[in-house]
Amino acid sequence: MKKFRKVLDGLTTSSPANPGGSPACGSAAGTPSTAPTPRELEIQETLMSEHFQICKTVRHGVPYQPTALAFDPVQKILAIGSRSGGVRLLGRPGVDCHCQHESGAAVLQLQFLINEGALVTACADDTLHLWNLRQRRPAILHSLKFNRERITFCHLPFQSKWLYVGTERGNTHIVNIESFILSGYVIMWNKAIELSTKTHPGPVVHLSDSPKDEGKLLIGFESGTIVMWDLRAKRTDFRIYYDEAIHSASWHHEGRQFMCSHSDGSLSMWNLRNTAKPFQVTFPHGKTQRDGRKESCKPILKVEYKTSRNSSEAFVVFSGGLSYDKAGRRPTLTIMHGKAITVLEMDYPIVDFLVLCETPYINEVQEPYAVVVLLEKDFVVVDLTQSNFPIFENPYPMDIHESPVTCTAYFADCPPDIIPVLYSIGAKHKKTGYSHKEWPVSGGTWTVGSQTYPEIIITGHADGSIKFWDATAITLQMLYKLKTSKVFEKPKSGDVGRSAELVEEDPYAVQMISWCPQSRILCVVGISAHVILYRFSKHDASTTITSLEVRLQCEMEDVISPSDTENTPSFSDPSGHSPQPQPPSPRSNTPDSMRDSIPCLKVKDRMIRMPPGYQAELVVQLLWVDGEPPQQITSLDLNSAYGLLALGNCNGLTVVDYLQKTILLCMSTLELYGSADPFQRLTRSPRKNRQSTSGLTELSDNQVSLDLERSKSPTSESRENSFSRSRSSSVSSIDRETKEAVTTLQFAESYGRKSDTLPTPCLWVGTSLGLVLIIPMSIPTDEQERLEDPVTVAPTGTVLMLKGSILRIGFLDCGGALINSPYEVWRDQHAPDHPDRPRKRKLVNFSPSSSQEASGDGHLAVVCSERQAKVFFMPSQACLYVHNITESSFVLRADVVSVCNSVCLACFCANGHIMTLSLPSLRPLLDVNYLPLTDMRIARTFCFTNGGQALYLCSPTEIQRITYSQEMCDNLQEMLGELFTPIETPEAQNRGFLKGFFGGNAQTFDREELFGEAAAGKASRSLAQHIPGQGGMEGMKAAAGGVVGELARARIALDERGQRLGELEERTALMMTSAETFSKHAHELMLKCKDKKWYQF
């Protein structure tokens, strides 16, 4: 433990020497401090660098740009691959794991080693990977990189260790999944087709072994050629040449017939007895036209053909196949069962689907019970056991992106009663009509860890909706949804008096969220320059919404700083939701010059019935002024104990009394300084030109996408790409024509002047020029007086200075503990009156005279800007500690957070670094280059919370949670779910003597005998390169037998090897003795015979 001492005796108005080189930290105006100061400030800091480590914990949401799907029918684990190289593994709720290929190559296909705890992934860089799923954090055991051919399709038969790999050249290779080495057995395309064929059959698009005889392999080529290859005889049984391209094939379980889907929207059925032509061709969605021809249909991309024991009719499930003339129809999944055809419309394009069956054996009646459908931005499971095919209620949060996420807020250690209350209210509005059966993806095990506490994540969306999520114990479950757009009238078309088209696509998009969990008061900032205040009630109510309109416009010239060029105007969102763009200029028939004193949206002015939950009470809107649209709100703070709401933008500051529904203060930033303004400014006439920048939603998706999404405006792409390591980035700098912005606001019990002896309610205001103003307030203490007497607000001119835009302000007591803001305990305003319990305001930590014993000793103020952090002692305003956080980049988000029973300052920089600093000494404790480069979406959504946790939107559809606490990293294994559970593989059904005899099912097929090195030889070394994995296990046997078994086998093998070496040594010694004896006898014989002549022998 290290003690920090700072002697504060004899402090005067002048500040101590500033090592950071920034302006002096004292007040710009004031008298020598007469407030009592402690002789010595003694704080013991307990946090050390070993308390911190960066680690990803869990990812929520549907994988972005999914590409592949697989299911283990025994373990009941689902895998989803994505275009960015990610693999998501899902089991029962709580079993949710994300893995990432280091190459970032798209996942083409996934193959489970059924009930073995392993997964094979085929990627777009032509590499196969074997993942071990028997550990909570899956790792790669082996990789095999193909050098000369591109992988197009893979197939792994059940209980086989030989993987078939089809390539773009039409060849089929075979890989041993234990050693991950290629077999010398290759099915060349020119041997598979007839020699007389002049054209190449195209890439391999299908591989499957026959249910009737696993020694026969069905190979489908893209051109329409189908080959049945006899693996033993190394020749073709039959060849089919079809006119239409093949997309997929599926067997009947008896192995006598199979079905193919084609590019013309047809399904063809083939019988092995006669392969000259299909015995049935159907166009499920193609109607016969008057001229007798079938109407053209879209391709059927995949078909599955499954039999059921309870019905003589099979299930045929396929995607696509609709006729081209039905324009505008949504993507469909079709289920054919007998003569009944059911078409299920999907919200997004279908990427892949799988029919889940009761048995893993392909030669048994399949008994399908569900269909898993992977969509571009969703994931649904259809119940096949009910005739109306309902979907299952998804236990995973796959609808985070229902409307693009525009901001986030993260609250750890919430009041324990808030989650059940929100859930009970939200449950009343849940959708109905789901399947009553249990969720079929039920694999793995998960238990709630011992170290759990209530956590809530709030997301704001482009359509104005707010979602509350239960994030306790690394899970995520939706609690409650609120639509802020219901507060406003729907804009009428051609409404010239209003500027509802200010943000044409998303006028209600949420920019910022401020929530007080104790008082349950919620404030939402919207892109149309409005703030909505909500109170929570368990009862419905009929009420009117109060609307306050604010003219907040400034006519001052840009800042001219005489000395400090570091204080360049910089625009950064104080709440950490990242810099926010300005709305585009309205385009209307009304000239801009005629727009004055009108808000962007019209609040409903009639009595409204509000359901239980969050109920709007007050709307504050900024107005158009002289043809100028209102500037975006850049900062917000709410204090329930004071009953006050403060908001600021680049024009100035507004303070609202939401109890009395009045505006207390509306001033430009310059007016707040009074005579204490440290800069010279020039007056000027109002601006006539407009900003033209993109709306919030345009930044919600990464513009650099592989599917070339439509760009909503030319500026959106430039903004997305401009966010780089450079400090001169246009994202973080104010337009040269804008004014000094209010970038952070914080209500607190503090000292407005150096002469104050006791703390009073204050508002701390941080600006984009690195200045901090302290505004004291006088608030009546009596409840009745508070509702009747005015609150007085009096700017004092107290100014503190830092480099860069102010991001965060926090407070510590003289012992180094965090001082939380005062709050009002929640009370239900619409509950029926109770005579025994009058509904009075109950305030916590609020007392104008300050009941704290050490109140007269002052407190510490922690102020963090884009460039540096400072700790001030109040009320003397002396700068105790300074730390320059970054010179080459700038801080995007900073928070004073609780970690390991102590407090630190956590920072996230634009260059991707995450840093923590001790408090109050600002010692660097952690500095990790976590993200190599940050994009706009991450910048806007990154937020820290207590307990060493943080989150950000890693893609338009996914939330990534991380921890920077060593303790949580150590406990993560306990918190994560187990993907693999030891389960007995179900036994194959007894087929009976006659069926087995006449069916000809060759049970004695030995793949090892065919594909092993002894029979097939070695494959060419240049064809593929084996890469050992980083997973730590020696091979596939680790996945098949577990870590303990593998270690035991390795020990036994070593013993056997040692025993053999010992035997070899003994044999060598015997041979040496024998050789010496032989040499001796030979020498004696030579001596005996050397004098004899040849004829004497």
Side-chain angles (χ1 to χ4, degrees):
M1 271 200 260
K2 192 171 182 181
K3 290 186 178 181
F4 290 90
R5 299 168 181 269
K6 192 77 176 180
V7 178
L8 300 180
D9 290 341
L11 283 172
T12 61
T13 50
S14 60
S15 296
N18 186 350
S22 63
C25 307
S27 171
T31 57
S33 174
T34 58
T37 56
R39 292 187 177 182
E40 193 177 64
L41 183 67
E42 191 172 307
I43 295 176
Q44 292 184 339
E45 293 188 0
T46 57
L47 288 180
M48 308 298 286
S49 58
E50 50 264 30
H51 288 113
F52 296 93
Q53 182 186 342
I54 296 287
C55 178
K56 290 182 179 179
T57 53
V58 69
R59 186 173 290 202
H60 304 295
V62 64
Y64 184 55
Q65 295 178 327
T67 53
L69 188 64
F71 184 70
D72 185 326
V74 179
Q75 287 289 322
K76 297 194 183 302
I77 293 285
L78 189 85
I80 300 173
S82 71
R83 197 175 297 189
S84 60
V87 178
R88 191 78 166 277
L89 296 152
L90 299 168
R92 66 175 67 249
V95 179
D96 188 337
C97 180
H98 175 261
C99 313
Q100 180 67 43
H101 292 95
E102 288 185 8
S103 65
V107 178
L108 298 179
Q109 202 174 344
L110 299 162
Q111 285 277 325
F112 273 103
L113 277 64
I114 295 174
N115 204 26
E116 296 287 355
L119 174 74
V120 175
T121 57
C123 295
D125 60 353
D126 306 306
T127 306
L128 297 172
H129 303 276
L130 179 67
W131 292 82
N132 177 19
L133 308 184
R134 291 186 173 233
Q135 51 200 66
R136 298 197 187 206
R137 289 276 175 140
I140 292 176
L141 294 169
H142 297 286
S143 298
L144 188 67
K145 166 80 173 170
F146 280 73
N147 297 322
R148 297 187 306 206
E149 297 193 53
R150 309 220 65 184
I151 299 170
T152 55
F153 196 88
C154 297
H155 170 62
L156 180 65
F158 178 45
Q159 294 181 324
S160 166
K161 68 174 185 179
W162 298 96
L163 174 74
Y164 301 114
V165 182
T167 68
E168 196 173 43
R169 290 188 182 178
N171 302 325
T172 301
H173 299 276
I174 300 166
V175 178
N176 184 321
I177 55 170
E178 286 186 354
S179 61
F180 239 56
I181 294 174
L182 270 179
S183 165
Y185 193 114
V186 184
I187 305 170
M188 304 298 288
W189 67 270
N190 52 358
K191 291 184 180 178
I193 64 170
E194 286 182 331
L195 295 175
S196 59
T197 308
K198 295 180 180 179
T199 57
H200 190 280
V204 175
V205 295
H206 178 79
L207 292 167
S208 61
D209 47 338
S210 165
K212 190 177 177 183
D213 182 357
E214 55 189 8
K216 305 287 179 70
L217 184 69
L218 190 71
I219 307 173
F221 297 93
E222 189 180 62
S223 63
T225 302
I226 303 169
V227 171
M228 177 72 94
W229 182 265
D230 189 327
L231 292 165
R232 298 185 195 84
K234 299 182 182 179
R235 60 178 176 80
T236 55
D237 267 13
F238 62 79
R239 300 181 181 91
I240 294 171
Y241 298 98
Y242 197 65
D243 296 336
E244 292 295 332
I246 290 175
H247 286 286
S248 72
S250 185
W251 283 97
H252 187 281
H253 80 273
E254 291 179 348
R256 295 193 182 97
Q257 58 190 39
F258 61 90
M259 179 182 290
C260 296
S261 68
H262 301 280
S263 56
D264 62 347
S266 66
L267 296 172
S268 61
M269 290 277 288
W270 301 84
N271 196 307
L272 299 193
R273 291 179 180 175
N274 179 14
T275 56
K277 63 177 183 177
F279 73 86
Q280 184 181 357
V281 177
T282 56
F283 289 81
H285 296 300
K287 295 178 181 177
T288 306
Q289 297 173 329
R290 291 181 180 177
D291 56 3
R293 291 187 303 172
K294 291 277 186 183
E295 60 183 348
S296 57
C297 295
K298 297 175 184 177
I300 294 178
L301 300 177
K302 184 175 182 179
V303 64
E304 292 218 21
Y305 183 27
K306 303 296 179 184
T307 51
S308 176
R309 191 173 288 106
N310 298 330
S311 171
S312 58
E313 301 289 348
F315 280 93
V316 177
V317 184
F318 63 87
S319 60
L322 289 181
S323 61
Y324 278 105
D325 62 352
K326 293 175 183 175
R329 284 196 64 174
R330 293 192 291 178
T332 59
L333 183 82
T334 305
I335 301 171
M336 296 169 57
H337 189 216
K339 294 183 179 179
I341 298 179
T342 305
V343 178
L344 304 177
E345 289 192 337
M346 301 292 167
D347 293 333
Y348 304 100
I350 297 172
V351 175
D352 198 0
F353 73 88
L354 285 173
V355 178
L356 308 188
C357 300
E358 296 287 353
T359 176
Y361 296 94
I362 59 171
N363 57 1
E364 294 180 358
V365 178
Q366 296 297 285
E367 290 293 342
Y369 60 89
V371 185
V372 179
V373 189
L374 180 63
L375 309 176
E376 272 189 7
K377 289 187 178 182
D378 204 355
F379 159 66
V380 296
V381 182
V382 181
D383 186 354
L384 286 181
T385 61
Q386 298 181 47
S387 58
N388 59 338
F389 303 127
I391 65 169
F392 289 88
E393 185 176 5
N394 201 325
Y396 319 118
M398 295 295 179
D399 57 348
I400 293 171
H401 62 285
E402 189 177 18
S403 172
V405 177
T406 52
C407 69
T408 58
Y410 192 5
F411 301 87
D413 214 0
C414 299
D417 59 336
I418 190 72
I419 289 177
V421 168
L422 286 170
Y423 181 79
S424 63
I425 298 291
K428 298 173 183 175
H429 306 285
K430 276 194 171 183
K431 295 178 183 176
T432 55
Y434 292 114
S435 171
H436 299 299
K437 295 205 167 186
E438 287 188 11
W439 178 250
V441 185
S442 57
T445 54
W446 180 75
T447 54
V448 178
S450 57
Q451 297 180 336
T452 58
Y453 43 81
E455 298 175 69
I456 286 181
I457 293 172
I458 305 178
T459 53
H461 299 263
D463 63 355
S465 61
I466 303 283
K467 290 182 181 178
F468 287 78
W469 305 85
D470 177 7
T472 306
I474 72 168
T475 61
L476 196 71
Q477 183 180 13
M478 181 127 104
L479 293 172
Y480 175 74
K481 182 179 178 181
L482 173 69
K483 293 182 179 178
T484 63
S485 58
K486 290 187 175 181
V487 170
F488 303 101
E489 300 281 5
K490 289 184 179 179
K492 298 176 183 177
S493 56
D495 185 355
V496 294
R498 302 276 164 190
S499 56
E501 67 238 21
L502 181 68
V503 182
E504 293 161 354
E505 294 186 353
D506 299 297
Y508 312 111
V510 178
Q511 273 185 302
M512 230 178 291
I513 298 164
S514 178
W515 184 53
C516 176
Q518 288 80 14
S519 64
R520 302 185 189 176
I521 292 179
L522 173 71
C523 261
V524 179
V525 175
I527 197 172
S528 298
H530 63 267
V531 179
I532 311 171
L533 185 139
Y534 291 89
R535 285 184 184 269
F536 187 83
S537 176
K538 294 181 180 179
H539 306 271
D540 57 1
S542 295
T543 183
T544 55
I545 302 168
T546 304
S547 177
L548 294 177
E549 297 178 346
V550 180
R551 280 176 73 96
L552 191 58
Q553 201 76 0
C554 172
E555 307 301 337
M556 304 309 297
E557 178 57 278
D558 297 324
V559 174
I560 299 176
S561 174
S563 58
D564 188 8
T565 56
E566 283 294 330
N567 282 303
T568 309
S570 53
F571 189 85
S572 189
D573 183 349
S575 298
H577 303 297
S578 93
Q580 301 288 9
Q582 304 295 323
S585 303
R587 295 190 292 272
S588 175
N589 298 329
T590 308
D592 285 345
S593 58
M594 292 175 60
R595 296 183 181 227
D596 186 59
S597 298
I598 58 170
C600 300
L601 300 167
K602 178 176 169 49
V603 179
K604 292 178 179 177
D605 54 6
R606 60 184 183 276
M607 186 76 72
I608 302 170
R609 184 194 167 277
M610 297 183 184
Y614 273 101
Q615 299 167 349
E617 181 178 288
L618 175 69
V619 178
V620 181
Q621 289 181 289
L622 303 188
L623 302 174
W624 280 67
V625 178
D626 298 330
E628 292 267 335
Q631 298 298 310
Q632 292 297 288
I633 295 168
T634 58
S635 56
L636 173 81
D637 194 34
L638 164 92
N639 190 283
S640 56
Y642 301 161
L644 299 180
L645 168 70
L647 58 101
N649 67 2
C650 63
N651 287 327
L653 170 71
T654 299
V655 180
V656 176
D657 182 340
Y658 66 78
L659 295 178
Q660 296 186 24
K661 311 289 193 298
T662 57
I663 297 169
L664 299 178
L665 181 76
C666 182
M667 299 176 74
S668 69
T669 317
L670 180 63
E671 292 171 323
L672 293 173
Y673 292 110
S675 60
D677 188 2
F679 296 111
Q680 299 173 1
R681 310 177 195 240
L682 303 176
T683 57
R684 58 168 290 203
S685 58
R687 282 186 295 145
K688 293 300 178 189
N689 53 337
R690 280 303 170 272
Q691 294 129 326
S692 177
T693 50
S694 57
L696 260 178
T697 27
E698 291 155 19
L699 298 172
S700 62
D701 288 359
N702 191 345
Q703 299 294 331
V704 189
S705 59
L706 293 170
D707 55 356
L708 301 175
E709 292 178 358
R710 179 175 61 88
S711 184
K712 296 180 182 175
S713 82
T715 52
S716 63
E717 187 170 356
S718 63
R719 285 216 159 214
E720 185 79 20
N721 296 332
S722 69
F723 195 79
S724 66
R725 295 175 184 268
S726 170
R727 177 60 185 87
S728 60
S729 164
S730 61
V731 173
S732 64
S733 302
I734 276 194
D735 190 291
R736 288 301 301 169
E737 295 184 359
T738 55
K739 282 76 63 178
E740 180 179 8
V742 175
T743 55
T744 190
L745 294 164
Q746 184 68 51
F747 287 106
E749 298 277 302
S750 186
Y751 303 85
R753 302 169 185 83
K754 290 186 178 182
S755 57
D756 289 350
T757 56
L758 292 174
T760 58
C762 291
L763 174 63
W764 285 58
V765 182
T767 75
S768 57
L769 293 186
L771 304 180
V772 178
L773 300 97
I774 307 171
I775 303 174
M777 299 171 292
S778 175
I779 302 175
T781 54
D782 181 76
E783 182 171 357
Q784 194 60 37
E785 290 178 358
R786 176 63 188 86
L787 297 175
E788 296 172 358
D789 295 350
V791 174
T792 56
V793 181
T796 60
T798 299
V799 179
L800 310 174
M801 297 184 72
L802 283 81
K803 291 181 184 178
S805 176
I806 305 297
L807 296 178
R808 179 67 68 224
I809 300 168
F811 302 96
L812 308 177
D813 63 21
C814 289
L818 185 65
I819 300 176
N820 293 310
S821 297
Y823 62 87
E824 175 190 359
V825 177
W826 174 73
R827 58 199 174 101
D828 196 336
Q829 290 190 316
H830 296 134
D833 290 326
H834 199 286
D836 298 334
R837 290 181 295 172
R839 287 182 295 154
K840 289 186 177 181
R841 294 183 77 215
K842 182 181 178 183
L843 308 183
V844 177
N845 295 334
F846 170 68
S847 173
S849 60
S850 188
S851 60
Q852 298 177 10
E853 293 179 6
S855 62
D857 292 340
H859 65 76
L860 302 177
V862 181
V863 184
C864 184
S865 74
E866 286 183 325
R867 294 296 188 86
Q868 66 178 186
K870 289 187 178 183
V871 176
F872 298 93
F873 182 75
M874 303 301 291
S876 69
Q877 300 171 20
C879 181
L880 302 184
Y881 301 99
V882 184
H883 179 72
N884 291 321
I885 299 171
T886 177
E887 293 295 337
S888 59
S889 184
F890 55 99
V891 179
L892 288 167
R893 176 78 195 221
D895 279 299
V896 178
V897 292
S898 299
V899 183
C900 299
N901 300 317
S902 191
V903 185
C904 71
L905 177 65
C907 303
F908 175 61
C909 286
N911 59 8
H913 281 247
I914 293 177
M915 291 175 273
T916 59
L917 305 172
S918 70
L919 289 176
S921 66
L922 299 177
R923 282 180 303 118
L925 298 171
L926 173 78
D927 186 352
V928 175
N929 187 9
Y930 175 68
L931 294 167
L933 197 66
T934 304
D935 63 17
M936 195 65 199
R937 179 185 56 253
I938 295 174
R940 191 180 59 249
T941 57
F942 196 102
C943 53
F944 294 100
T945 190
N946 295 329
Q949 295 197 76
L951 67 79
Y952 59 93
L953 216 68
C954 59
S955 77
T957 62
E958 297 167 285
I959 289 175
Q960 178 69 58
R961 288 163 70 180
I962 64 172
T963 180
Y964 49 95
S965 161
Q966 179 68 57
E967 183 184 9
M968 190 166 181
C969 288
D970 295 339
N971 294 329
L972 192 57
Q973 289 292 329
E974 178 193 343
M975 298 165 70
L976 295 173
E978 288 274 6
L979 289 165
F980 180 79
T981 311
I983 299 173
E984 284 289 330
T985 302
E987 292 185 6
Q989 293 177 6
N990 188 358
R991 306 187 71 218
F993 171 75
L994 292 175
K995 202 166 188 180
F997 185 78
F998 291 109
N1001 191 6
Q1003 299 292 339
T1004 57
F1005 177 63
D1006 187 356
R1007 293 186 178 90
E1008 181 70 38
E1009 190 179 316
L1010 278 176
F1011 307 145
E1013 190 177 319
K1018 290 184 177 180
S1020 170
R1021 288 188 177 182
S1022 61
L1023 186 61
Q1025 175 190 358
H1026 176 259
I1027 305 165
Q1030 302 297 318
M1033 297 299 176
E1034 287 297 323
M1036 180 50 223
K1037 289 181 181 177
V1043 181
V1044 177
E1046 177 61 22
L1047 287 173
R1049 279 193 291 274
R1051 196 176 294 112
I1052 291 166
L1054 283 172
D1055 291 343
E1056 290 174 353
R1057 186 165 176 257
Q1059 186 179 344
R1060 289 195 203 102
L1061 285 172
E1063 290 173 359
L1064 183 64
E1065 195 175 344
E1066 288 175 9
R1067 280 198 220 110
T1068 306
L1070 287 171
M1071 287 176 68
M1072 286 178 67
T1073 307
S1074 176
E1076 285 177 6
T1077 306
F1078 178 77
S1079 173
K1080 184 180 177 182
H1081 286 308
H1083 185 68
E1084 288 175 355
L1085 187 63
M1086 184 265 295
L1087 291 174
K1088 187 178 180 181
C1089 303
K1090 72 173 182 177
D1091 294 329
K1092 287 187 178 183
K1093 303 297 181 185
W1094 62 270
Y1095 53 83
Q1096 292 178 323
F1097 288 98

